[in-house]
Amino acid sequence: MKNGKKTLFLGIIIGVVISYFFFNYFAPRYEIKKTAALTMKVDKWTGDAWRLVDNNWKKMSDMDENWELVDKTLGEAINMKLPIPKVDSNLGLKKLKERYPVLKDIPDDDLLERIKLVYSKQVMVNMYMGDFMKAGEETQQSENP
């Protein structure tokens, strides 16, 4: 009878250990990663990734581009058309954090990403609305000669 109790106890311990490893390494297939700029869901089994956009998961594409070269080229292309003033970003971030204390604890890279999102959204909305208003005026002028 003592041998049976030992086997039962050993079986329970092995079952607990196997359950622990299963639920910690195999069961959670998806991992959610949150940063200041985005929320990402990663499939641990396949390596696929999605980002949260407007409460929907959009699949992220795998691209092994040299983004620094692409960014530099795009920056040069825009500088030909639109002269962009040279600004010391570090000094600007320092002054921004001094003026608005709520920003003080946010890392510089995360703050720059948020600035990019907020500013580009505002610029794009203004451009769209300007084009929309022009199109509306042109339509009215063509209807009423």
Side-chain angles (χ1 to χ4, degrees), residues 8-126:
L8 176 65
F9 185 72
L10 183 63
I12 290 173
I13 290 175
I14 291 172
V16 168
V17 169
I18 289 173
S19 298
Y20 172 80
F21 283 108
F22 176 78
F23 286 113
N24 281 316
Y25 294 103
F26 299 112
R29 180 172 179 175
Y30 300 102
E31 179 181 2
I32 305 293
K33 296 180 182 181
K34 293 183 180 182
T35 64
L38 70 122
T39 302
M40 230 171 69
K41 177 171 75 170
V42 178
D43 185 348
K44 289 183 179 180
W45 295 358
T46 63
D48 291 339
W50 298 265
R51 60 188 163 93
L52 188 62
V53 178
D54 297 329
N55 292 327
N56 291 319
W57 291 106
K58 303 287 184 184
K59 187 167 173 81
M60 296 174 67
S61 63
D62 295 329
M63 296 186 73
D64 294 332
E65 296 290 330
N66 182 356
W67 288 113
E68 290 178 15
L69 178 61
V70 171
D71 291 346
K72 183 181 176 188
T73 305
L74 290 172
E76 289 172 0
I78 194 95
N79 282 333
M80 287 182 194
K81 188 171 183 181
L82 299 172
I84 297 174
K86 301 294 181 198
V87 177
D88 183 8
S89 295
N90 293 330
L91 181 61
L93 284 172
K94 183 180 174 187
K95 288 186 177 186
L96 187 65
K97 288 181 177 186
E98 287 172 0
R99 185 175 295 167
Y100 301 100
V102 72
L103 304 174
K104 188 173 277 188
D105 296 332
I106 300 173
D108 288 350
D109 289 339
D110 292 342
L111 186 56
L112 287 172
E113 283 297 315
R114 295 307 306 172
I115 290 169
K116 180 177 71 172
L117 290 171
V118 169
Y119 189 71
S120 64
K121 178 180 177 181
Q122 189 61 46
V123 168
M124 296 301 287
V125 166
N126 289 343

